Amino acid sequence: MNLILNTDSYKISHYLQYPKDVNYVSSYIESRGGRWNRVLFYGLQMFLMEYLSKKITYEDIEEAKDFIKAHGLVFNEDGWRYILDEHGGALPLEIEAVKEGSIVQTDNVLLQIRNTDPKLPWLVGYLETAILRAIWYPVAVATNSYFCKQNILQFLNETGTPELIDFCLHDFGARGVSSFESAGIGGSAHMVNFKGSDTITGAVFAKKYYDADMAAFSIPASEHSTMTTWGKERENEAYKNMVDKFSSGIFACVIDSYDTLNAIDLWGRLFDEVKAKGGRVVLRPDSGNPVTMASECLEKMMDIAGFSVNQKGYRVLPNHVRLIYGDGINPQSLVDILNELKLRKISADNIVFGMGGALLQHLNRDTLRFAMKANAVSKDGEHWIDVKKDPITDPSKRSKSGRLALVRKGNLFKTVRLNELKKEENKLKPVFKDGKILSKVSFDDIRARVKEFD
């Protein structure tokens, strides 16, 4: 991707719009609030590695010049040739950010960026489109996944085994996102919190950009086509084939191709064989009202396979039988199901969830009201003048002014002015300067950091 074209059209002419005495521009990114009151910061390193650390080339400039002229705008050819000639194509920028895996309250600075060459004050704003998009999406997915995890964990603490949490929410979202890259970015963001996923691209991205050996795992599972090709009259044979092929381990089987509750009866004839082989079958109803179907299926499975009562007083299926529900699952329906199970004295240990579009796709920049705004300008790079947006028609869009710092007290963060930082540590750390990534974080480090906030 040509980074010069990775912007909005109106950004092209902004180099002509700055005051002549402004040589440096500082901008910052924050979530101004939204669905949650905290965000899980994740995804910046992918953008730095894939895009920002790549050098601008002569071919990039020529391509952009031809395109932008045809697009009806005036191209800043001198500015981009200056970057190529004086900086070898490396972007003369400095970026500092909170560490990935940090869970920060909304309305706090997460990232701050400035130019390091006085002839390029326009470069900071030019990259807003690319860098803001690179931040809001993985942060929104990671945050969505994180709060789902907290909700499931609450029910596991109350009714079952909290140690099971890592595999309680499985990512089914690969086919429902807008692109291959979205699957990789969003899929890996979910893996910060959970270790179960069918989005292979997410695990690939976690390995490529964060050195994860294997960020998530899956199991053999059926789909409707592999069941219905046997025909309704041979439905029992389709299930027996699953047992024959996979029951030495954990495997999943969809059961709503025809009659969900009847399918559980058919499976009831196979449960003992699964148990004898030391395996576990995870049945998957995939239609109907999620709350009703999840609870009724578990009740029927317990009628057939039996159950025990754990120390917390909740019913638990035998180890060789479980349920996964992945149709119509979103953060609210997930909680509704767990509430219904709790009322029925059924432990949350019995069920895991699959989530697709609601996990990776039902999010946008306004979900957490992400924005990037200029906060200071300077003539010499040392003495900064405050800049801010303060619309009288919407005070919620008031931006922060002055060069910023982020401090932490316990699990709470607070944005302060950099010139008012005393002995407190600034949690914004340099991660990029003049085309080079200054430090990298591993996936294990990110996961460990998230747990610090639990």
Side-chain angles (χ1 to χ4, degrees), residues 140 148 269-270 311 347 350 366 385 388 422 431 438 446:
C148 286
R269 305 169 192 172
L270 300 169
Q311 293 182 342
S347 171
N350 296 290
D366 290 330
I385 299 171
K388 69 176 180 179
K422 299 176 182 177
V431 294
L438 301 180
I446 293 171

Side-chain angles (χ1 to χ4, degrees), residues 77-213:
E77 184 174 358
D78 289 343
W80 287 105
R81 289 199 180 280
Y82 176 80
I83 292 174
L84 179 62
D85 295 339
E86 296 298 321
H87 297 279
L91 298 179
L93 297 167
E94 182 180 73
I95 298 175
E96 52 187 358
V98 68
K99 290 182 177 180
E100 297 194 37
S102 299
I103 298 173
V104 183
Q105 306 98 281
T106 57
D107 197 34
N108 276 299
V109 58
L110 299 170
L111 176 151
Q112 192 165 225
I113 178 172
R114 53 163 285 185
N115 58 301
T116 59
D117 187 314
K119 293 185 178 181
L120 302 168
W122 54 268
L123 186 58
V124 173
Y126 194 96
L127 293 172
E128 176 189 357
T129 305
I131 195 168
L132 187 60
R133 181 176 58 224
I135 294 299
W136 79 253
Y137 177 64
V139 170
V141 174
T143 305
N144 187 19
S145 174
Y146 175 80
F147 279 103
C148 286
K149 183 176 183 178
Q150 300 312 306
N151 286 331
I152 298 171
L153 193 56
Q154 176 185 338
F155 286 94
L156 286 174
N157 280 322
E158 293 173 355
T159 72
T161 312
E163 291 77 15
L164 298 176
I165 187 62
D166 284 350
F167 292 93
C168 284
L169 182 60
H170 207 81
D171 176 7
F172 285 172
R175 71 189 60 184
V177 291
S178 59
S179 68
F180 172 83
E181 188 171 57
S182 296
I185 294 172
S188 66
H190 169 69
M191 293 169 191
V192 169
N193 302 294
F194 291 94
K195 295 181 180 179
S197 177
D198 261 30
T199 301
I200 290 176
T201 320
V204 171
F205 273 43
K207 181 177 180 65
K208 179 178 180 180
Y209 297 109
Y210 293 97
D211 295 325
D213 289 334

Side-chain angles (χ1 to χ4, degrees), residues 28 30 32 369 371 373-374 387-401:
Y28 75 100
E30 69 174 331
R32 297 183 294 200
R369 301 183 66 225
K373 298 298 176 186
V387 173
K388 69 176 180 179
K389 172 184 177 180
D390 192 8
I392 193 171
T393 51
D394 190 351
S396 71
K397 290 188 174 183
R398 182 184 297 118
S399 62
K400 295 173 171 56
S401 60

Side-chain angles (χ1 to χ4, degrees), residues 278-392:
R280 172 184 290 178
V281 60
V282 184
L283 301 185
R284 179 168 69 91
D286 198 47
S287 55
N289 180 282
V291 177
T292 302
M293 288 308 302
S295 54
E296 290 301 316
C297 286
L298 283 171
E299 293 280 14
K300 190 170 184 65
M301 291 162 69
M302 288 181 175
D303 287 343
I304 295 172
F307 61 87
S308 59
V309 177
N310 65 19
Q311 293 182 342
K312 297 175 181 178
Y314 291 85
R315 290 181 284 161
V316 183
L317 282 163
N319 286 334
H320 61 284
V321 185
R322 287 293 184 270
L323 187 81
I324 183 169
Y325 211 98
D327 177 62
I329 297 300
N330 57 51
Q332 184 58 54
S333 65
L334 182 153
V335 171
D336 291 342
I337 290 171
L338 291 171
N339 269 318
E340 177 65 20
L341 297 184
K342 182 181 177 183
L343 290 172
R344 292 173 180 248
K345 303 299 287 186
I346 296 175
S347 171
D349 286 5
N350 296 290
I351 189 169
V352 295
F353 298 95
M355 192 183 295
L359 179 65
L360 301 187
Q361 188 70 11
H362 298 176
L363 304 158
N364 57 55
R365 185 166 70 93
D366 290 330
T367 302
L368 282 162
R369 301 183 66 225
F370 264 91
M372 176 172 163
K373 298 298 176 186
N375 57 320
V377 297
S378 175
K379 185 175 182 178
D380 59 8
E382 297 293 333
H383 303 88
W384 293 88
I385 299 171
D386 289 3
V387 173
K388 69 176 180 179
K389 172 184 177 180
D390 192 8
I392 193 171

